[in-house]
Amino acid sequence: HRYSKHCLCQCRSGQWFQTSLLHAMRQVTVLLENLTGLEFELVRVFSEAGQPKIALVNEPMVLERSLKTTWVSKNEQTGCSVALEFRSRKPVASAQSSGYDGELPVPALQETVPGKTLTFAAKLPAPSKLQASVTSWFSQNIVGASASQSGPCFVAELVDVPEASPAPRDLCQFLTQAAELGTHGCSSQCDWLAVRKETEALEVRLRLLPDVIRSVPKIQEADVPSEPPSQDEDELRRLKGFKDITQALSQQARTLCASSEKDPFDLQRVCGLPEKVKVELVLAFLAALLEQRNTALARWSEASGKVSSDDSSPEKIGNMSNADKLQSAADKHVQATFAVLVHLIGFGDDNREAKIASFAATHLQQAASTSPAQLDINELTCAVRASLDYTPDTQHGSMWSAECWWHVGGEDIAASLVKQTYLIERALARSPSEAAEKLSTGALWCPTICCMTYAAPDDHRLGLLYQEASEQKALAQFGISNKDELQMLRVTSSPRTSQAQQTAEEPPRLPPAWLLARELHSMFLSAGGGAFDARSRHAMLEVFQHFGVPISLIVCWESQIGGALFEALEASTILEAQRASRKSSNRGKVALAAAGGGLLLAVTGGLAAPVVAPALAGAAAAVGCTAASAGAAIGLAQAGILVGGAITGVGAGLGALLTSLGTAGAVAVFGATGAGMTGWKMSRRWGDLKEFNFEPLEKGKTVKQETVDVHDPDARQALDAAMNNDGILQEDLAVPVGTGGIKALRKGTELVGRQTVPVSSGSGMLARYLVKHETDHVQRSVHLALFVSGWIHDRSDFSKPWADAAKTFFPCSGHLALQWETKELLDMSAVFGQMVAQEVASSTASFWFKSTALSGVAATGVAGSLAAMTVAWPVWIVSSMANLDNAWLVCVERARLAGKCLAQALVDRKTVGRRPVTLIGHSMGARLLVYCLCELYDLGEFNVVDDVVLLGTPVTTGAKKWQKVRAVASGRVINGYLGNDWVLAFLYRYLEWGLSVAGLSEVNIPGIENVNLNGLGIANHQDYPRHVSNILAKMRIGEHLSANTEAF
């Protein structure tokens, strides 16, 4: 025989002989899964050949929920045969034993009780006779070898212990009963599956089944459904109403934003406040920061009790415990953010500012005392509002009263009426009485005599609130004359043309407190530097809610201001490159000469309109010396650059803001390169991770068109030369414009038309260029929403399922999809698709629904995990779906790598900047996000992530991991679970041995919101993407509740 001849030849050197012996070693591995609820302890072992791979030291081998035991052959030329006996026992906190001596492994049995005895035996035969003939002198030492047995053998049984003390079982005889192992097998309360069955290795998964499963009567087809319950039509109608309300609020915010243009940006609203009011203003922000900090620490402390029950030794990083690490990071964030706010608002004296900034440290010290002094954010914001001399609009001669409230109906009924009247967000007023009180005192504002409010904090019905003695005017607003017609409007949901719409009244001016909030937000965004992040943004929104400002309006302002800020960053980059380039030296001289005392940049195709101020002095005076000095003190570069004296959609005066504060704020928010997440690339290798990139959810870009008037002949010549024959600009270019400033044009700008027109002053001619350019909304967005899919059928599934929901619930955010490991995800879904074709999946689903319905756990809050723990899957199902094992585990590992990579991308200040990010993921994508959040925690990055939404998450509900997830997120953390998700139940149950899964049940950690997704018509795990919009509606995403308020 060729093999034996080669072996004998090599034996003369001795080296190959040693390798051959090592290759002949045998190994038996048994993975035990205990579903009985009992605890077992190893009491006896019989081994014909083999010893444990890891010896027991100072404690016996105990089986609680799961256990892995591995035995290797003692003699390389023998087989590996072992029999073990376990006995149920009372749980003991600690165990003492004599250990395992390698020959007689009989650990001391502790408090064994009458109950169950588990016995199993495994046998790998000795090498074949052909192999044994090579080293025949070993054949005499082979123990238990049986020529008749050609394959691995296994047997197991779990039996009751008789009350009478029986004679100990003969384990040697039990070992001889082990039959040759096929794919799977079963016996009394045991079933097992051969995971690996080779000549040198045997790996078996053994499952111990509880009595309750065996005692379940035979399932009758007519008894229980074979499919999950149908969708709840009433629930779906309510969710559609919420989506309509959300879209109406977004449109209302855009209308209010347009109204605010009548009041130009004026930082004197902030810098000109009396010092007492400034102090009250910064203390209100400090109160919000402290409340956020205290809430985070309280959640951590409460969750630590759950963690300690799982792990008695507290985790440490360096010399600092996790609790200390979180508190230290929270304290530093409060102090740093507050110091920047004090400096931005300005108190005219460095010593004065330092003294006020020290308030943060004082209150942090008081927070550790038994009776800390609390800052009342409501009192402080009321005082600021009162100082602005704002009084409620009483032109209609009436006050507001909760008695003047008409019930309209649920959100699905009221949605059509919202388009005809002003809706007060639930976060601002949660009942008619609260709304009436705030409207009467000026804490809230309504542009008309009638508005819509919610009925109660936990009630989604709405009604119409109107001023006293104004009932008929309120009805006339809807084009009706009595309440009966209002009832008809509710039924038909067909809005009529109201009298107010017919008269087309001029939009009213916004309250001073709202304009103050706008200027504050623009200052913090533009000049906050590193202080602007997800956590400080939440604190700022909290203050603005107390000012009565709709958060949807603030988010709209934020998007537009951020767009203008990005234009400034991009324009400054163009000018700097043109100045440094020898090729453009002459053009640069032309552009810089036209700027005069300062540069006012305008970029085509953007949010900002093109203007350049010939002198900086006037703009600086408009801003105020305090703001200008604040910008310089923070270290802002390029103080001469500003965008737009009259910015379309934002309002006049923002150019002066950017003139005084420069573009360093844009660098901090968008990153030094401005490339954003779409421009982020992996800078190093991440293990086996091959694909990882960000793509916009919407592939198309917005096209902007504008006019550029160029008077200077040299500038016209330079611009014409830079255009190719197709009228496309071949390079970035800055040219002087007719108004005396500079316009920065980006590469790719397209010439639509050109004409020569006389100058209005009569002095010569100018060239008028009509140009257009594409803009990337994602790059310009301050807030980002990142969607991560984890179960796909083609590449479009990374983005397509999320697109509609993103537009509805994140209208002012940049929408991104993470594309990662497409091949591996497709492989996993393809394996499952084959099972569907073979009807294995449908049979498995039917078994799951029937078993959970029969066990009576399907309607409970922990239905999924409890059912997954108790349902005994038939061995034929386990065997049929075993192909998923490898595909699933590969995706798990890639998700871990991608999660760590995502964390590094989010903290990349140079490329990505400091934009708050909301994370939404499904299936393996949700697991990726959990890995990412844990990595952010380890990096100490607590201020990057806004909200987190996890759907069908294949992650255990262990407290330690979720405690970190909650600590990292600044906003809400929502676990969306589906109790009847049989795919996740099977995958996580058999491929990872998890007992409690977040995607199947609640996560009981403080601050984690759990939303049961039953009733939405979600059939199974891979059906989530079809229902994303309804899922987010059920979670009430976009309602902008306070970050410190639990919504569910």
Side-chain angles (χ1 to χ4, degrees):
H1 192 276
R2 182 176 59 84
Y3 173 81
S4 59
K5 181 179 178 181
H6 182 74
C7 177
L8 289 173
C9 291
Q10 295 296 325
C11 282
R12 295 176 182 176
S13 66
Q15 186 173 4
W16 200 93
F17 179 74
Q18 186 176 2
T19 305
S20 175
L21 294 182
L22 179 62
H23 181 70
M25 292 180 63
R26 302 303 194 258
Q27 177 172 301
V28 173
T29 301
V30 180
L31 304 173
L32 295 96
E33 183 182 15
N34 180 16
L35 305 182
T36 64
L38 300 175
E39 187 175 287
F40 292 84
E41 182 178 57
L42 179 65
V43 293
R44 289 196 303 147
V45 173
F46 173 79
S47 176
E48 288 184 340
Q51 62 183 2
K53 191 172 184 179
I54 301 177
L56 299 174
V57 180
N58 295 328
E59 62 179 87
M61 182 181 291
V62 175
L63 169 60
E64 294 177 344
R65 290 186 176 181
S66 62
L67 177 67
K68 178 180 180 180
T69 174
T70 302
W71 292 70
V72 294
S73 59
K74 195 171 184 180
N75 187 319
E76 288 81 358
Q77 293 302 305
T78 68
C80 185
S81 305
V82 62
L84 291 85
E85 180 178 290
F86 289 79
R87 187 76 57 81
S88 62
R89 71 171 193 177
K90 290 181 179 179
V92 181
S94 62
Q96 301 292 331
S97 71
S98 58
Y100 171 64
D101 59 11
E103 294 294 336
L104 298 174
V106 186
L109 180 62
Q110 297 184 15
E111 297 189 66
T112 56
V113 295
K116 300 284 186 180
T117 297
L118 165 66
T119 313
F120 68 85
K123 181 189 301 184
L124 266 175
S128 67
K129 294 180 179 180
L130 181 61
Q131 292 175 302
S133 66
V134 178
T135 53
S136 59
W137 59 276
F138 267 115
S139 61
Q140 299 176 359
N141 300 320
I142 297 177
V143 180
S146 174
S148 63
Q149 292 179 336
S150 59
C153 302
F154 188 85
V155 66
E157 65 177 19
L158 179 63
V159 298
D160 295 330
V161 177
E163 295 182 2
S165 298
R169 162 170 278 181
D170 188 343
L171 293 182
C172 179
Q173 183 181 5
F174 184 75
L175 183 60
T176 62
Q177 299 174 3
E180 186 169 349
L181 181 63
T183 305
H184 53 79
C186 61
S187 65
S188 174
Q189 287 192 243
C190 297
D191 62 12
W192 55 87
L193 177 70
V195 178
R196 183 183 178 193
K197 190 175 62 170
E198 300 174 357
T199 306
E200 296 84 14
L202 171 64
E203 183 175 341
V204 179
R205 289 186 176 178
L206 171 61
R207 181 178 54 176
L208 312 183
L209 305 175
D211 290 331
V212 64
I213 298 299
R214 290 299 179 181
S215 63
V216 169
K218 183 178 179 181
I219 300 174
Q220 300 296 328
E221 293 293 333
D223 291 342
V224 290
S226 60
E227 296 181 356
S230 60
Q231 58 191 19
D232 187 338
E233 297 298 336
D234 292 337
E235 175 72 2
L236 294 180
R237 187 175 62 254
R238 289 191 292 268
L239 296 181
K240 183 182 183 303
F242 175 73
K243 288 184 284 187
D244 292 340
I245 290 289
T246 301
Q247 292 172 336
L249 281 173
S250 180
Q251 178 59 46
Q252 178 176 287
R254 290 191 289 269
T255 302
L256 292 173
C257 190
S259 298
S260 68
E261 294 180 22
K262 296 188 301 183
D263 296 285
F265 271 79
D266 184 3
L267 298 190
Q268 283 295 331
R269 291 191 179 93
V270 179
C271 302
L273 291 173
E275 183 170 307
K276 178 179 179 299
V277 179
K278 287 183 178 181
V279 171
E280 292 168 337
L281 182 58
V282 296
L283 288 181
F285 281 104
L286 179 58
L289 289 168
L290 289 173
E291 183 180 3
Q292 191 178 62
R293 175 254 189 200
N294 295 339
T295 301
L297 294 181
R299 285 170 174 165
W300 182 273
S301 177
E302 186 177 351
S304 295
K306 299 179 179 293
V307 173
S308 61
S309 63
D310 299 334
D311 185 3
S312 58
S313 58
E315 183 180 349
K316 290 189 176 183
I317 299 180
N319 296 323
M320 184 180 295
S321 67
N322 278 342
D324 293 338
K325 175 183 177 180
L326 179 61
Q327 181 171 343
S328 175
D331 290 352
K332 289 179 181 178
H333 181 265
V334 170
Q335 294 185 74
T337 304
F338 184 66
V340 170
L341 284 168
V342 170
H343 206 61
L344 278 177
I345 293 175
F347 289 85
D349 180 80
D350 291 342
N351 293 330
R352 182 68 173 159
E353 288 180 2
K355 183 177 181 180
I356 295 174
S358 67
F359 289 172
T362 301
H363 281 277
L364 286 172
Q365 293 174 358
Q366 292 177 349
S369 63
T370 55
S371 56
Q374 298 291 334
L375 292 172
D376 191 326
I377 186 173
N378 189 49
E379 290 184 2
L380 291 168
T381 51
C382 285
V384 173
R385 252 192 348 261
S387 69
L388 300 177
D389 297 326
Y390 171 68
T391 56
D393 183 6
T394 56
Q395 60 177 325
H396 299 286
S398 299
M399 296 294 287
W400 300 83
S401 171
E403 296 179 357
C404 302
W405 186 81
W406 298 323
H407 172 256
V408 173
E411 290 172 323
D412 54 319
I413 296 176
S416 61
L417 300 182
V418 172
K419 300 176 182 178
Q420 295 181 271
T421 188
Y422 181 72
L423 172 62
I424 296 179
E425 295 179 0
R426 185 198 291 272
L428 302 180
R430 305 194 177 197
S431 66
S433 57
E434 182 182 357
E437 180 182 357
K438 289 184 175 181
L439 285 168
S440 298
T441 59
L444 283 180
W445 174 83
C446 177
T448 63
I449 61 171
C450 179
C451 61
M452 190 166 287
T453 69
Y454 279 90
D458 56 350
D459 192 340
H460 299 326
R461 294 176 302 163
L462 291 100
L464 292 171
L465 181 68
Y466 59 92
Q467 290 183 352
E468 293 178 348
S470 302
E471 179 176 334
Q472 291 304 316
K473 291 182 179 179
L475 291 172
Q477 183 171 326
F478 294 92
I480 57 179
S481 58
N482 57 66
K483 293 182 181 179
D484 294 336
E485 294 183 51
L486 180 65
Q487 295 287 338
M488 292 300 298
L489 280 180
R490 293 192 312 188
V491 174
T492 60
S493 297
S494 55
R496 304 179 184 179
T497 303
S498 66
Q499 181 180 349
Q501 290 172 319
Q502 292 173 350
T503 57
E505 295 179 357
E506 183 182 355
R509 289 187 178 274
L510 303 184
W514 291 27
L515 300 176
L516 175 65
R518 182 189 65 178
E519 264 71 331
L520 276 170
H521 196 47
S522 62
M523 287 178 64
F524 193 54
L525 184 62
S526 304
F532 181 82
D533 53 38
R535 205 166 292 274
S536 60
R537 178 177 180 265
H538 265 269
M540 182 163 287
L541 295 181
E542 180 79 9
V543 175
F544 294 160
Q545 282 186 4
H546 284 80
F547 280 159
V549 188
I551 301 304
S552 57
L553 175 59
I554 292 293
V555 171
C556 189
W557 277 333
E558 178 184 76
S559 175
Q560 295 182 332
I561 295 169
L565 198 60
F566 183 80
E567 296 287 348
L569 173 63
E570 199 166 39
S572 66
T573 304
I574 292 174
L575 279 185
E576 287 298 321
Q578 186 166 315
R579 181 187 303 177
S581 173
R582 294 182 180 179
K583 178 180 178 181
S584 302
S585 59
N586 291 334
R587 298 175 187 171
K589 291 178 181 179
V590 172
L592 295 174
L599 300 177
L600 182 59
L601 307 179
V603 183
T604 64
L607 185 63
V611 195
V612 170
L616 191 60
V623 177
C625 297
T626 303
S629 63
I634 297 174
L636 303 179
Q638 302 185 30
I641 298 176
L642 69 92
V643 178
I647 297 179
T648 304
V650 178
L654 183 58
L657 166 67
L658 299 180
T659 298
S660 63
L661 301 180
T663 59
V667 172
V669 174
F670 298 105
T673 65
M677 295 185 73
T678 53
W680 191 89
K681 302 295 180 183
M682 287 190 294
S683 59
R684 65 182 179 88
R685 183 175 178 85
W686 289 83
D688 293 328
L689 188 65
K690 298 182 181 65
E691 182 185 8
F692 184 94
N693 57 279
F694 302 97
E695 296 292 339
L697 218 56
E698 302 87 10
K699 301 301 182 183
K701 295 185 178 181
T702 304
V703 177
K704 298 290 184 180
Q705 185 170 297
E706 60 180 324
T707 301
V708 182
D709 290 340
V710 182
H711 184 275
D712 185 81
D714 293 334
R716 292 202 301 267
Q717 183 178 358
L719 182 56
D720 291 337
M723 294 281 186
N724 64 9
N725 294 332
D726 296 327
I728 306 297
L729 190 65
Q730 298 300 296
E731 59 180 322
D732 295 333
L733 184 66
V735 296
V737 294
T739 55
I742 292 177
K743 180 179 290 294
L745 304 175
R746 289 174 293 182
K747 180 181 178 180
T749 299
E750 181 179 351
L751 178 64
V752 178
R754 181 185 187 277
Q755 58 179 334
T756 303
V757 297
V759 179
S760 57
S761 60
S763 57
M765 307 291 287
L766 60 81
R768 176 164 294 167
Y769 297 84
L770 181 62
V771 296
K772 65 180 181 180
H773 196 282
E774 291 183 341
T775 60
D776 189 339
H777 176 67
V778 175
Q779 279 188 315
R780 304 156 53 86
S781 299
V782 175
H783 182 274
L784 298 175
L786 177 62
F787 301 88
V788 186
S789 299
W791 193 288
I792 64 172
H793 300 285
D794 55 60
R795 292 189 65 89
S796 65
D797 287 341
F798 282 118
S799 56
K800 186 177 179 180
W802 309 101
D804 290 340
K807 295 176 183 177
T808 300
F809 300 104
F810 305 96
C812 297
S813 302
H815 307 145
L816 287 168
L818 176 61
Q819 292 189 0
W820 65 287
E821 299 300 88
T822 304
K823 180 181 180 300
E824 285 70 20
L825 293 174
L826 288 175
D827 288 346
M828 183 171 65
S829 62
V831 171
F832 186 80
Q834 294 173 0
M835 297 176 183
V836 172
Q838 298 168 1
E839 298 186 356
V840 174
S842 59
S843 300
T844 307
S846 178
F847 178 84
W848 166 261
F849 296 133
K850 293 174 181 178
S851 299
T852 53
L854 199 61
S855 62
V857 299
T860 65
V862 293
S865 289
L866 180 58
M869 185 171 61
T870 57
V871 168
W873 297 93
V875 174
W876 67 268
I877 289 180
V878 177
S879 176
S880 300
M881 300 188 74
N883 290 334
L884 273 177
D885 195 322
N886 185 59
W888 176 266
L889 294 179
V890 168
C891 289
V892 166
E893 174 60 16
R894 300 297 171 84
R896 183 185 67 84
L897 296 174
K900 290 180 176 290
C901 189
L902 176 58
Q904 294 295 330
L906 293 178
V907 300
D908 187 341
R909 303 288 183 254
K910 181 178 180 181
T911 305
V912 178
R914 291 182 176 271
R915 288 181 280 185
V917 181
T918 289
L919 303 175
I920 303 105
H922 162 243
S923 185
M924 198 62 73
R927 180 165 182 145
L928 184 156
L929 293 181
V930 172
Y931 282 128
C932 168
L933 295 166
C934 291
E935 179 70 10
L936 288 174
Y937 179 89
D938 294 338
L939 294 173
E941 296 287 348
F942 296 95
N943 312 314
V944 176
V945 177
D946 188 6
D947 296 332
V948 177
V949 179
L950 304 172
L951 308 176
T953 310
V955 173
T956 61
T957 57
K960 183 180 296 185
K961 183 176 297 183
W962 286 92
Q963 188 183 28
K964 292 182 178 181
V965 169
R966 177 60 269 183
V968 169
S970 304
R972 302 169 65 187
V973 177
I974 310 174
N975 170 44
Y977 68 93
L978 187 67
N980 58 20
D981 188 348
W982 68 269
V983 178
L984 183 59
F986 178 87
L987 288 173
Y988 205 80
R989 181 72 180 145
Y990 269 93
L991 304 186
E992 297 198 32
W993 295 57
L995 292 178
S996 181
V997 189
L1000 292 170
S1001 58
E1002 297 181 354
V1003 177
N1004 294 316
I1005 294 296
I1008 304 291
E1009 302 175 25
N1010 295 286
V1011 179
N1012 191 334
L1013 301 178
N1014 287 332
L1016 301 186
I1018 305 175
N1020 47 44
H1021 192 69
Q1022 66 270 28
D1023 197 35
Y1024 273 85
R1026 292 199 309 112
H1027 303 270
V1028 168
S1029 185
N1030 284 336
I1031 290 172
L1032 298 186
K1034 188 164 186 177
M1035 296 174 175
R1036 302 190 74 82
I1037 300 295
E1039 197 166 38
H1040 300 298
L1041 292 175
S1042 167
N1044 299 318
T1045 301
E1046 297 297 337
F1048 295 88

